[in-house]
Structure formats: C-alpha cells, structure tokens
Amino acid sequence: SGRPPKRKLALFVGYVGSRYNGLQLSSGEGVNGVVTVEGVLRDALLSVEGGGLSEDNAEDFLRKVNWRRSSRTDKGVHSLCTVLSFKCELWPEAAALADAYQGALNDAVGASDKCAELAALAQASGDGTGGGDANGSGDGPSEGGSSVTVSESDIAEASAALSAAQVVVDAAAEALSEQLAEELNTHLPDDVRVFGGMKTAKSFDARLGCVRRGYEYAFPATALPDGGSAEEMARFNAALEVMEGVHPYHNFTKRSQYQKLAAGRIEQAMKKKRAGRRAAGKTDGDCDEAVAESEAAPSAALDTDTDSDTDVDGRRAFFSEQMNDDDMVVKEFYRNVTSASAELVPAAESGGRGNLVAVHLKGESFMLHQIRHMVALALAVGAGMLPLECVGAMLCVASRARLPIAPPANLLLRDADFFPFKAPRLKGGVPGYVQQLALPQKGIARRAAFARDVMAPARADPEHDALFVRWAREDLPKRCEMLWEGGLEEVIREHAEWVERRPAHAKGRKTSAGPSGASPIV
C-alpha cells in the first residue's frame, strides 16, 4: 500500500575506526579492500525490512536522502559522538512511534505557548502576577483596554501541564530512539553502533547544526624522552596554547586541496558579481566536505600517513611575504581552536596502558589532518626536538613548511555541541518551546557500554601503542631534522623579525568558547 513514510532523523553513531577508510562513503567502496563507516551504515539501512533505505535511493543515497554528517573522520580515527541527519523510510513500528512522538511534541509546544501567553499577560499587568490579590484574583491592563485576570494558580496550572507534557515527550523520544537503535544494530558489525536517534525538524542539518567538536588524542607517555616529565608537559602545553584562537592552519593540512576549492569559490563569486548578483561561495564546512570527497578515493584513502604537501621550490620550510597567486592563504585555512591542552594520565587510570598523555582539543571545525599535525608539532616541542617559537612561525601566513603528522589510530571524536533545531518562538518577549538535539538516557547508557567494552580495548591495542612510540622515537626526530636542514632556523628568525614589524598581524585572535546558545549532546 505505497511507500513507507519518510521522516527526517538524526542518528547518534559511534565506531572504532581501525578497519575503516574513514567515515565518509568512498567512490571506490569495496574496491581494493576500501570499506567506510557510511558504507556499512548504508548496507544496514538497506537490510531493514519495510523501511530504512530503498533500492531506488541506494545508488546515490547521500544526495537522495540529504545525508549530512556532523563531523568527518579520517582513516583509522574513532568516534563516540557522530551525528548523521537524513530522510529515512520508517518501518511500521518506527513510524508509529515517530507519530506518537510528534503528537506529544505538539502538545508540549501548545503547553509552552500557554505558559508564555500567561507570563506575557502577567508582565503586562505590572505586578508580575497579573494584578491578582492574595486570593489569586484581580484585574490588570491588557491590549485594547480590556481587563485581564491572570492568577497565580493559572500560571502554576499551566506550568504543571507543560511539565507533564514534557514527560510524555521524553518517553516518546526514548521509545523511538530505542526502536531505531535496536533495529539498525541488528544489521551492523560490533565496531559500529547506533546509540539512538530522534525525529528532527525538516530543516535540521547535522553539519550546519554542529558548532563545536571535541577530540581526544591519547598516546603512551614513553613516547617522550623523559616519560612525560613536568618540563616536557609544560613545553607540550605551551605549544598547544599558542595554537588556541583563530589562526591560519595552512601548514597543518593538504594545502593544495583547499586552494583548488578556494579558486573555484572565488571564480563562482566573480561570475555572480559580474552578473549583478550577490556573491556567495562555499562555506568552510562545505570546503572540508569537498576535500574529504577527494580523499575518499581508494588511492588517497590508503595513504593518509603522509606530510601535508610536497616540498616547495625544493625547500622543506621557508618564509616569504611575496607568495605566488597559486599559493595564497585563503579564508578556508582559518580555524578557531577554542581550547587545547594536554594532561598526564597515570597508569592506574589508563586501563592497563601505563602512563598516557591525553590531548584535549575543541574547536568550531578542523581541517583534514589538522589535529594530527597539531599533536605532532606539540610533541616535537615537548620532546625538545623543536623550539616553542616554531609554533607561532607555522601559524604565520608567510611561512610554508612540511610538518610531521601523528598516526591516526590514537584520535577519538569525543563530543559535539549543537544549536537548537529552530530559534524559539517569542510571545510577549517570553521564549517559547525549544527543541534541542539530545540522546535519551538509554542511548547514553548504550554509548557508555560501547566506550567501555569495545572502544577502550581497541584503543588499548598494544600494537598501536608500540607503533606510536616507534614513530615518536624514530620517524619524528628524522622529520624534525629534515625541517632544520630544510630552512626552519631561517623561518623562525624571519618570523621574529616579521613580528617586530607587524605585531598586530602576528598575534592570533583569542576568542570565547565559541557560539552561544549551543548545547552538548548528553
């Protein structure tokens, strides 16, 4: 009797990235062993009886179902907090629960509107309770000159009705979330889990709605010469502190990929300007998505452990205020890192991995490979291989360098903050009902179990830790030595002179924690 109903959903997903070529679906999926997390999720949706993803939409499902991701992770990177938004064909059980949730939500919005209306009338009366006397009655002014009575009992009754409606909403959201998780997880491997899901507003976009991403990078403290001594950790954190704020991260990614996309954006804007229309190019986030698509090809997906770019004019590092037009630092390279710090985790708290260094990074968005370059540079400073002055020089628009890159297996996407689906409706200046992305309690418990039983053992793989220590002791020193031989000392000197000449331009803009109004997924 026709196609299943299609609804806009948000899925809360986690995965161990060890055996995947990143999150994003690859054009070469299944070729030469290329498997992605989204490819596995697509197959799970196709396997759902009576809904999920239809065969008609499978061929180009990213576009046909408006598939959007809150964050994109590279090959080997893990996640506990990826949100995916898309239009899903709901099977009968899920459709019934989605309808029940929508009905409960409509009731809650109505109850909220009633509270807002009474609060506005009470405020207009001038005494905060609508002019009522001690017995809860009285007259107050109203629009049009008519008298309005708002008693304390009216307000209390409306508030109680809203609280009761919210309880029903939460229960309906929990039921729908559990149905989505239980059905999809029966078709997924153990290293990919759906923690829960919810029906969202049609306008919700997981990428645009996500305003902050939080990452953790953990590695054995033995990667540092003195095992993470106080002096090493102080240098490590000093390097991370320099990276906080708004800076151009052109030396921390595949620069040429972003420049190609920026050139296309500028050309598009110029065409619109010549046509007399408002120029509007791609956003930074769109640029990240496009770079990720180019990286998802089999040849690139299998080769992420490389430096950001090839040598420029035969030099590994140089400083010049006169750059070629094809090597400009465009707006796509600027990112806001709202916090960056590292701590030493004692062996008693590391799950049997010995002493660990845990790096915590939070920002509005990150470029391809940016975090892994940041960690490698901070580690080099902490270990005494590079001076602290090197960090500021690498964040200067006039510098170019091939920075070392840390292995991917130690990186975890841990949390994310989202704006509400819609701006709250206002009545009489009083905020209306706010619908916020939230993982229900059973979903939180499912995520905690996955983190404990699946993620933690995978991250504690002795082979991965041994590989990291070997990289830090053997490969990283060689990369740093190549930087010194390739002109790093001159870059640091010229950058210092540049700072003296242009101090205002040499300092990154420190910012607040990011956009206000956003809330973490809890």
Side-chain angles (χ1 to χ4, degrees):
S1 58
R3 299 284 289 270
K6 188 178 290 186
R7 300 287 186 270
K8 189 70 170 287
L9 299 180
L11 290 184
F12 304 87
V13 177
Y15 48 87
V16 175
S18 303
R19 70 184 188 95
Y20 297 102
N21 287 80
L23 167 68
Q24 188 163 334
L25 187 72
S26 168
S27 58
E29 193 82 18
V31 179
N32 296 327
V34 174
V35 181
T36 65
V37 176
E38 286 184 346
V40 170
L41 288 167
R42 177 197 59 188
D43 294 344
L45 288 166
L46 280 168
S47 300
V48 175
E49 184 175 351
L53 181 67
S54 68
E55 292 289 347
D56 294 342
N57 290 333
E59 180 67 24
D60 188 18
F61 91 102
L62 295 179
R63 181 184 62 83
K64 289 184 177 179
V65 303
N66 194 25
W67 185 277
R68 304 292 274 173
R69 56 192 74 83
S70 59
S71 300
R72 180 204 53 77
T73 55
D74 300 335
K75 176 185 177 182
V77 177
H78 318 300
S79 174
L80 284 174
C81 197
T82 295
V83 175
L84 304 167
S85 62
F86 64 104
K87 293 180 289 185
C88 180
E89 294 186 356
L90 296 183
W91 50 101
E93 297 86 351
L97 291 171
D99 290 343
Y101 169 75
Q102 187 61 55
L105 185 62
N106 292 341
D107 291 341
V109 171
S112 177
D113 288 349
K114 181 66 175 177
C115 287
E117 180 182 358
L118 292 175
L121 291 172
Q123 185 179 22
S125 71
D127 66 357
T129 60
D133 58 22
N135 296 320
S137 62
D139 295 332
S142 68
E143 294 181 7
S146 61
S147 62
V148 177
T149 300
V150 180
S151 68
E152 292 179 356
S153 61
D154 289 338
I155 295 176
E157 182 179 347
S159 179
L162 175 57
S163 297
Q166 188 59 51
V167 170
V168 178
V169 170
D170 292 342
E174 185 95 70
L176 174 59
S177 178
E178 286 299 289
Q179 171 62 217
L180 295 172
E182 290 174 1
E183 175 61 34
L184 291 173
N185 284 335
T186 61
H187 307 289
L188 288 170
D190 292 341
D191 56 1
V192 178
R193 289 289 91 176
V194 172
F195 304 135
M198 68 180 295
K199 182 179 180 296
T200 73
K202 292 180 180 179
S203 60
F204 178 68
D205 182 305
R207 183 184 66 77
L208 297 179
C210 186
V211 293
R212 282 184 293 268
R213 286 93 172 162
Y215 287 84
E216 177 186 288
Y217 194 103
F219 60 86
T222 52
L224 288 160
D226 293 330
S229 66
E231 293 79 5
E232 288 174 332
M233 294 304 298
R235 290 195 297 265
F236 199 115
N237 274 296
L240 291 175
E241 185 178 1
V242 174
M243 296 185 229
E244 288 183 338
V246 178
H247 300 283
Y249 279 90
H250 54 291
N251 288 320
F252 295 73
T253 188
K254 285 186 175 290
R255 191 164 60 249
S256 58
Q257 298 278 12
Y258 285 86
Q259 286 166 336
K260 290 175 184 176
L261 290 161
R265 169 183 58 80
I266 294 171
E267 182 180 358
Q268 181 187 38
M270 291 303 294
K271 286 182 179 179
K272 290 185 176 182
K273 186 176 181 180
R274 286 194 293 268
R277 291 179 290 158
R278 177 177 176 269
K282 287 190 172 186
T283 66
D284 289 347
D286 288 325
C287 187
D288 290 338
E289 295 289 304
V291 169
E293 288 172 7
S294 67
E295 283 292 295
S299 59
L302 296 172
D303 185 25
T304 56
D305 297 320
T306 58
D307 286 316
S308 55
D309 272 299
T310 57
D311 293 344
V312 181
D313 297 332
R315 293 175 290 176
R316 199 172 185 86
F318 72 96
F319 193 94
S320 174
E321 298 181 52
Q322 302 296 325
M323 290 295 174
N324 297 327
D325 290 342
D326 59 353
D327 194 22
M328 301 297 291
V329 175
V330 291
K331 73 170 189 176
E332 280 79 3
F333 291 119
Y334 283 82
R335 299 301 157 114
N336 180 16
V337 177
T338 55
S339 64
S341 63
E343 62 174 335
L344 189 65
V345 180
E349 302 174 15
S350 69
R353 297 177 66 185
N355 291 342
L356 293 178
V357 174
V359 184
H360 306 285
L361 298 160
K362 202 154 195 176
E364 294 173 11
S365 65
F366 293 91
M367 306 178 77
L368 181 71
H369 298 171
Q370 178 185 337
I371 291 175
R372 291 164 59 196
H373 283 294
M374 292 173 68
V375 170
L377 184 57
L379 178 57
V381 173
M385 301 176 198
L386 296 176
L388 180 61
E389 293 79 9
C390 171
V391 182
M394 294 301 99
L395 295 171
C396 177
V397 294
S399 70
R400 297 292 184 273
R402 291 186 64 188
L403 296 180
I405 182 170
N410 306 72
L411 183 58
L412 169 68
L413 173 61
R414 182 168 285 283
D415 56 67
D417 298 345
F418 288 81
F419 276 137
F421 295 153
K422 298 178 179 178
R425 291 184 291 171
L426 302 179
K427 290 195 173 184
V430 180
Y433 190 86
V434 178
Q435 189 183 8
Q436 180 72 51
L437 191 72
L439 179 60
Q441 288 300 315
K442 290 183 179 179
I444 293 174
R446 183 178 286 110
R447 182 175 63 189
F450 180 78
R452 180 188 65 244
D453 301 334
V454 181
M455 184 68 74
R459 296 186 78 200
D461 185 344
E463 182 179 350
H464 286 159
D465 284 348
L467 286 172
F468 185 91
V469 172
R470 186 161 63 247
W471 168 82
R473 292 179 178 177
E474 299 176 6
D475 187 64
L476 182 59
K478 292 178 182 177
R479 301 281 180 171
C480 292
E481 185 63 28
M482 292 169 69
L483 277 172
W484 284 116
E485 294 175 352
L488 181 60
E489 185 174 2
E490 183 180 353
V491 169
I492 294 173
R493 179 182 56 78
E494 293 191 28
H495 174 253
E497 295 173 356
W498 186 82
V499 170
E500 289 298 320
R501 294 196 306 271
R502 306 174 63 186
H505 296 275
K507 297 178 181 179
R509 284 190 291 119
K510 290 289 184 177
T511 64
S512 64
S516 60
S519 300
I521 295 177
V522 295

